[in-house]
Structure formats: structure tokens, C-alpha cells
Amino acid sequence: MGGKLLSIGECMVELSQAGEGLLRKGFAGDTFNTAWYARACLPAEWLVDYYTAVGDDPLSTEMLTMMKAAGIGTTAIRRIEGKTPGLYLITLKNGERTFSYWRDTAAAKKLADDPDHLRAAIEGSDVVYFSGITLGILAPGAVDTLLAELRRAKAWGKTVAFDPNIRPRLWPNKDYMLKTIEDGARAATLVLPSFDDETTHFGDKTVADTVARYKALGVENVAVKNGAEGATISFGTSEQAYVPAVAATNVVDTTSAGDSFNGAFLSRLVCGVAPAEAAAYGASVASVVIGHHGALISPGLLPG
Ligand code: ADP
């Protein structure tokens, strides 16, 4: 049986170095990356839609064309007159990647500004995915609008999945950031944190601390990703498992490890696969993704 997964957030223009004086243009963003991998891993009877706001400029048009070509639905995406997408530039210095962002005036910051439109998109979906980056780009009033709709979706029995993806530079201060991440988790039925972020910002000493902290907020299902150390899942009150990472033959770029894990994991879960098996599939997809450059790798390269 099919359904619809809706991923909510910001897709940006990505510029990366392509030789002396040349830049390559792509499109990426955490929630979009997850939509990409969910689309690649889900059977055809499942629809994957992206929810954001873009501008009415040629780059926004190109972004929508790329999404449609990937099989990702764009009908819920609002176009805002006079706006443009956010953009980031990846610079390589001695093999280290640094990111510069231009996103303060991005159209995506207005993604929750039409509550009726947002409600209709969520009502028409079975699974809703969002992240701490989705929340971090929004004004406080828009955060409240989005979280109210997500809580409503949860109350209706939909799967609401949340990756805290904690990025301090998006937030005005630490207290508000941590409080809003917790509010995001409370609105979700499944939280997918990365231990690295959680230990840095919430001070968790162990993966078990991260699981316990989200469970204490009332989150039913938690899957903590911990890079090469694997993932720990805790579903409901009885299902606990440690799922090892799949050794990557050659790690070239870990961008999107967590996003691809989430997309692949969700794609199996929503089809009724047991959580530990679904997480093992997420790990196998992530191990392939980190063996290639860039956030989005061709679906043909992924394990079936
Ligand atoms: P994020 O990208 O959100 O920080 P992680 O780094 O925890 O997420 O990685 C997510 C998943 O990707 C892990 O649970 C693991 O399955 C896989 N992964 C990440 N790094 C490696 C690695 N070096 N080797 C093998 N698998 C990895």
C-alpha cells in the first residue's frame, strides 16, 4: 500500500569548486537530501513531496525542475514574488571544507507564512519530516505555526519524524535553540538525532543519555545516529537495538550521511519493515553515500 511522505524545509543553491576560478552549481539542503533518498528508496506507489517556499526567479525555477526530474512532488511549494533561494559556497582549504551561507533573505524563511496552505499539505500526507534547520530558519511566530500543525498531524496518528540537526548559527541564542528543538521533538513521533550534536549542545555523556532525554519529553521512538559507531534505536517501550554502521570502503565526503540514513530508514519503516532492519538499511545506504562526493548521489548507486 502506498502513501505520501512530505518533507518540510529549505533547499539551497550549492556552489562548489570546479577547478581554477570555476564554480559548479547544485541544489541541496538537509530536508531536501532526505526527500531525495526517501524517493530513491521507496516503492513507486509512495509519493514524496517537498514543502518549502521559493522565489519567482530563474534559479528557483531551475530548482523546481531538478526536484520534479528526481520524482519529488513540487505542487505544495509556494512561489513568492521578488524572492530568491538561499545559497551556500563550499571552499576547500587543505582538504577541509568550509561553508559560507547567504540565506538571511531566502524565500524558504516564509515557508510557514500561509497556515491554510501548510495545513492542507500536511493533511494530505501520511508521513511528515522536518528538522532543527527547518525550525532555525523561521521567525518565532512561524515556528509556532509550523509546530501547531505538526502536533495536529501527530494527534491524527500520522508519523511525524524530526532530525534536530542543531546548527547554532541559525539561532539567536542557545536557550531559545534548545527549547525550540525540544518543542520540535515533542511534536514528533520519531526523533532522529546525531549524537555529536546532542553531546555538544545538550551535554549528553552517552548515546543512552540522548535516548533517555528524548523519551522523557514523551517521544515514542528515537534513533540516535553516531557516525562510524553505528546507531541505537528505541521504539516504544520494548524495542531496543544497536545497529552497527556498515564499513565504508573509502570515505570521501560525509555530507548527507545522516540525511541519507534518515531517508532510507523512513522508507523501510513506512513500508512496515521492523525498526532494526530498517536502520540497518539506513546504515548501508549512508555508507555508500559517504563514499561519493556531494550530498546527493545517483539513486542507481544505492543498495536495493
Ligand atoms: P550526521 O551526518 O547527521 O552527523 P552521522 O555522522 O551520525 O550523522 O551518520 C549517520 C549514519 O551514517 C550513521 O549512523 C552511520 O550508519 C553512517 N556513517 C556515518 N559516518 C560513517 C563512517 N565513517 N563509516 C560508516 N558509516 C558511517
Side-chain angles (χ1 to χ4, degrees), residues 102-123:
W102 292 264
R103 71 197 306 189
D104 289 351
T105 57
K109 290 175 79 76
K110 301 197 167 299
L111 67 83
D113 287 7
D114 184 342
D116 294 342
H117 185 73
L118 179 63
R119 177 171 293 190
I122 291 176
E123 276 181 1

Side-chain angles (χ1 to χ4, degrees), residues 4-8 46 122-123 125-131 134-135 146-164 183-193 218-223 235 265-266 269-270:
K4 187 193 275 185
L5 183 150
L6 182 75
S7 182
I8 305 177
W46 269 84
I122 291 176
E123 276 181 1
S125 306
D126 305 283
V127 178
V128 185
Y129 177 80
F130 71 114
S131 77
T134 310
L135 299 176
L146 176 58
L147 289 180
E149 292 307 323
L150 292 166
R151 284 192 290 267
R152 205 165 161 268
K154 177 178 173 176
W156 278 23
K158 295 180 192 287
T159 296
V160 180
F162 173 60
D163 185 334
D183 288 345
R186 285 191 193 93
T189 59
L190 166 62
V191 176
L192 300 146
V219 180
E220 194 182 345
N221 306 312
V222 180
F235 271 57
F265 181 46
L266 279 172
L269 276 183
V270 302

Side-chain angles (χ1 to χ4, degrees), residues 163 165 194 225-228 230-231 245-248 251 254 257-258 261 283 286-287 290:
D163 185 334
N165 251 338
S194 288
K225 295 158 283 171
N226 192 14
V246 174
V251 179
T254 57
F261 178 98
S287 80
I290 61 180

Side-chain angles (χ1 to χ4, degrees), residues 7 20 30 60 125 137 176 189 194 198 214 224 230 248 265 271 283 294:
S7 182
E20 194 52 44
D30 70 328
S60 294
S125 306
I137 63 168
Y176 175 66
T189 59
S194 288
E198 305 297 318
Y214 283 112
V224 183
F265 181 46
C271 290

